[in-house]
Amino acid sequence: MRVGFYQFAPVFGEVNNNFDSVIAAVSSMECDLLVLPELAMSGYQFISQEEVASLAELVPEGPTTRRLMDVAKRRDMFVVAGIAEQFQGRFYNSAVLVGPSGFIGLYRKTHLFDEETLFFSPGDTGLQVWDIGPAKVGIMICFDWFYPEAARTLALKGAEILCHPSNLILPHCPDAMVTRCLENRVFSVTANRIGQEERGGKPALTFIGKSEVVSPGGKILHRAPPDKEELTVVDIDVTEARDKWLNPYNDLFRDRQPHLYAS
Ligand code: ACM
């Protein structure tokens, strides 16, 4: 199975232009599952509720999800993309999963980071896994990585690939995803963005790039540079994520001791 990410620098508020960049980048790519960054078309650093309201879209009726469905159909692939979503007067930092046959699912970010809490409601969808045929995929968004429960929940629900749209600012995540994959024996595709945003007199945010694909053995199959646009596709054998055997005496999930853990 070919999994990939597109690391780029969305321009704040330029939804159509950002989408055009994605279309241009993926036009000659062969891929089964493509992951795009968090808030991939809207940009990240919101400065008012009015701005969120003007950029957040309905899912799946809104233009970004419809365009994503169109790309997925034309290119015969699955796509996970971060999106600013509006639903019943609330705003969510969400991600959608679409495929050749249309809309598949929606995830609303559980663990909001920093000023995201001013503009978005915490997600209420819970962490979910979808069987898309070639693999079972789960979605977590950016700062969800900081809570090992997110990746663990997805793995316990059967995810073989963690799709991880991101707008990373802190430096730790790319290395931490190695542990998330190792401790759950799953693949991950982290699609981060690059560039800077400095809006409304707020401190500049520099996004760290380093999008990556990591294997269930904790091997970084590919890591992008911190500051360059990059489209990457990696061939993976999903069956590696199905076997939770560690050694003759340890099976990852069988040996958990949940009755001793805090909730
Ligand atoms: C983040 O969750 N965007 C850091």
Side-chain angles (χ1 to χ4, degrees):
M1 181 177 181
R2 295 157 302 182
V3 298
F5 58 75
Y6 179 42
Q7 167 173 299
F8 71 117
V11 179
F12 190 92
E14 305 267 331
V15 174
N16 279 331
N17 291 342
N18 293 330
F19 212 121
D20 290 346
S21 306
V22 172
I23 301 276
V26 305
S27 63
S28 57
M29 177 199 61
E30 293 298 325
C31 185
D32 301 302
L33 172 65
L34 173 71
V35 184
L36 298 174
E38 177 182 14
L39 298 169
M41 309 307 167
S42 61
Y44 181 78
Q45 197 179 34
F46 289 91
I47 56 174
S48 71
Q49 278 289 341
E50 291 70 35
E51 206 171 54
V52 184
S54 74
L55 287 167
E57 299 183 23
L58 294 173
V59 172
E61 301 88 347
T64 293
T65 310
R66 295 179 76 85
R67 267 190 103 178
L68 286 166
M69 289 192 279
D70 183 54
V71 176
K73 187 173 178 183
R74 276 192 291 108
R75 311 263 341 142
D76 192 26
M77 65 180 177
F78 296 89
V79 183
V80 172
I83 183 169
E85 184 209 353
Q86 57 172 298
F87 179 69
Q88 295 184 343
R90 288 178 186 263
F91 304 107
Y92 297 97
N93 181 341
S94 298
V96 293
L97 167 64
V98 299
S101 304
F103 180 74
I104 298 172
L106 166 75
Y107 167 65
R108 294 177 175 145
K109 185 176 185 177
T110 306
H111 306 99
L112 297 172
F113 178 70
D114 200 23
E115 289 197 356
E116 291 170 31
T117 56
L118 302 178
F119 302 114
F120 296 106
S121 298
D124 57 0
T125 53
L127 294 139
Q128 299 176 70
V129 175
W130 295 270
D131 188 345
I132 60 170
K136 292 184 182 147
V137 300
I139 303 179
M140 49 191 264
I141 300 178
C142 204
F143 190 53
D144 282 331
W145 77 266
F146 208 87
Y147 295 82
E149 295 89 343
R152 177 67 103 206
T153 300
L154 291 172
L156 288 172
K157 287 185 166 183
E160 294 149 356
I161 304 172
L162 308 180
C163 302
H164 186 209
S166 295
N167 276 189
L168 295 163
I169 297 157
L170 303 176
H172 318 288
C173 177
D175 288 343
M177 287 311 288
V178 170
T179 305
R180 294 290 165 273
C181 288
L182 195 57
E183 69 197 5
N184 292 295
R185 286 203 61 78
V186 291
F187 289 93
S188 68
V189 182
T190 297
N192 192 25
R193 61 162 291 174
I194 52 171
Q196 271 205 344
E197 285 185 356
E198 184 173 9
R199 308 192 61 254
K202 295 189 183 196
L205 299 177
T206 302
F207 302 96
I208 66 161
K210 298 187 183 181
S211 300
E212 63 184 8
V213 179
V214 181
S215 79
K219 185 159 187 265
I220 299 167
L221 301 177
H222 184 83
R223 181 178 280 179
D227 50 3
K228 294 207 171 44
E229 182 178 323
E230 190 180 288
L231 176 73
T232 286
V233 177
V234 176
D235 232 313
I236 63 167
D237 176 3
V238 183
T239 61
E240 280 177 46
R242 293 182 186 150
D243 186 0
K244 304 301 181 184
W245 185 94
L246 298 178
N247 61 48
Y249 302 97
N250 294 114
D251 180 271
L252 180 67
F253 288 164
R254 183 200 65 199
D255 295 347
R256 295 176 68 244
Q257 304 293 333
H259 63 291
L260 298 178
Y261 305 153
S263 62

